[in-house]
C-alpha cells in the first residue's frame, strides 16, 4: 500500500471511497447515500483552492483510501478527515496516509491540525494518538443524524512545530 498526493484525476476514486465508507453508516459524519459525482466535483474544488488531498493505493493500484486537510476557519489550522474502505483496513494504510500528511504539515506554515471523531471509534482514536493528537474536548449531542439521533464527537488536535515556529521565521 502506498499513499500519494491526489490529483484531479483521482476525484472520482476519492468520492467512491467516501461513498463506500458512508454506506457503513458507522464511522464518518457523512451520511449515505453519497452523490459520487457531486462529491468528486467537491474534491476537484478542494484541490483547486489548494487543500491537500492524498489517496491510498492498494498493491494492485486500486484507490482504497483518502485523506484531506482543509483550512476551514482559524488561519494556520487545518482540519483532517480520512477514510479507508472496509476490506483494506488494518494493513498499515492509515499509517501510510498519516505519514504523508504529517510529513507535509511538518514543513508547512500550519501551526495546528485538528479533527473530530466519534467517541467509540477506537481504531481511529488509536491512530491519531499514535501521531501525537490529544483530546481537546467533547461536543455533546452535537450532530443530528437523518434518523433523528444525536451524536457526540471528540475534538482531537496536535500542535505543530514547523517552519512557522522556528527562530527567525517570518522575519
Ligand atoms: C481509522 C482508519 C483510517 C485506520 O486505518 P487502518 O488501515 O485501519 O489502520 P492501520 O492498519 O494503519 O493502523 C494504524 C494504527 O491504528 C491504531 N489501531 C489500529 N487498530 C486499532 C484498534 N482496533 N484499536 C485501537 N487502535 C488501533 C494503531 O495505533 C495502529 O498502529 P499499529 O498497527 O502499529 O499498532 C481506518 O480504519 C478507517 O478508515 N476506518 C473507517 C473510517 C474512519 O473511521 N475514519 C476516521 C473518521 S474520524
Amino acid at each position: 500500500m502506498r499513499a500519494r498526493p491526489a490529483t484531479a484525476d483521482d476525484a472520482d476514486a476519492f468520492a467512491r471511497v467516501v461513498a463506500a465508507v458512508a454506506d457503513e453508516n458507522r464511522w464518518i459524519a457523512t451520511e449515505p447515500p453519497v452523490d459520487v459525482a457531486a462529491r468528486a466535483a467537491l474534491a476537484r474544488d478542494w484541490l483547486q483552492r489548494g487543500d491537500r488531498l492524498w489517496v491510498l493505493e492498494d498493491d494492485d493500484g486500486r484507490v482504497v483510501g483518502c485523506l484531506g486537510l482543509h483550512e476551514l476557519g482559524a488561519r494556520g489550522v487545518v482540519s483532517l478527515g480520512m477514510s479507508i474502505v472496509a476490506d483494506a483496513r488494518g494493513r498499515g494504510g492509515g499509517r501510510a496516509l498519516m505519514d504523508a500528511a504529517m510529513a507535509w504539515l511538518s514543513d508547512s506554515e500550519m501551526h495546528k491540525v485538528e479533527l473530530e471523531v466519534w467517541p467509540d471509534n477506537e481504531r481511529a482514536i488509536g491512530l491519531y494518538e499514535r501521531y501525537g493528537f490529544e483530546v481537546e474536548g467533547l461536543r455533546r449531542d452535537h450532530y443530528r443524524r437523518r434518523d433523528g439521533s444525536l451524536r457526540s464527537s471528540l475534538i482531537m488536535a496536535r500542535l505543530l512545530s514547523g517552519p512557522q515556529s522556528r527562530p527567525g521565521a517570518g522575519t
Side-chain angles (χ1 to χ4, degrees), residues 70-94:
H70 309 279
E71 215 175 338
L72 299 177
R75 187 147 54 99
V77 181
V78 279
S79 292
L80 183 153
M82 67 190 295
S83 286
I84 297 175
V85 298
D87 68 353
R89 290 177 199 148
R91 291 194 273 131

Side-chain angles (χ1 to χ4, degrees), residues 80-164:
L80 183 153
M82 67 190 295
S83 286
I84 297 175
V85 298
D87 68 353
R89 290 177 199 148
R91 291 194 273 131
R95 273 181 279 134
L97 283 167
M98 287 295 282
D99 283 345
M102 297 311 291
W104 181 82
L105 281 167
S106 70
D107 212 25
S108 77
E109 297 302 315
M110 303 300 157
H111 66 269
K112 188 172 182 180
V113 52
E114 60 158 13
L115 57 85
E116 282 184 68
V117 58
W118 302 137
D120 62 355
N121 192 347
E122 287 172 21
R123 179 148 52 178
I125 292 169
L127 175 66
Y128 301 142
E129 283 176 342
R130 188 191 162 106
Y131 282 84
F133 284 71
E134 293 174 314
V135 173
E136 288 201 332
L138 174 70
R139 299 188 113 162
R140 222 159 50 177
D141 286 351
H142 195 73
Y143 293 100
R144 190 194 302 272
R145 310 292 286 173
R146 282 193 193 131
D147 66 5
S149 63
L150 297 176
R151 290 211 73 170
S152 305
S153 73
L154 281 183
I155 300 169
M156 297 185 77
R158 185 189 142 165
L159 292 167
L160 302 164
S161 50
Q164 80 289 340

Side-chain angles (χ1 to χ4, degrees), residues 32-93:
V34 169
D35 179 335
V36 173
R39 181 54 74 131
L42 188 61
R44 281 189 287 271
D45 285 349
W46 284 336
L47 285 166
Q48 204 161 17
R49 77 172 188 203
D51 286 2
R52 312 297 303 194
L53 306 181
W54 287 264
V55 289
L56 180 70
E57 276 185 1
D58 211 341
D59 297 338
D60 59 5
R62 181 175 64 118
V63 170
V64 292
C66 57
L67 184 153
L69 296 177
H70 309 279
E71 215 175 338
L72 299 177
R75 187 147 54 99
V77 181
V78 279
S79 292
L80 183 153
M82 67 190 295
S83 286
I84 297 175
V85 298
D87 68 353
R89 290 177 199 148
R91 291 194 273 131

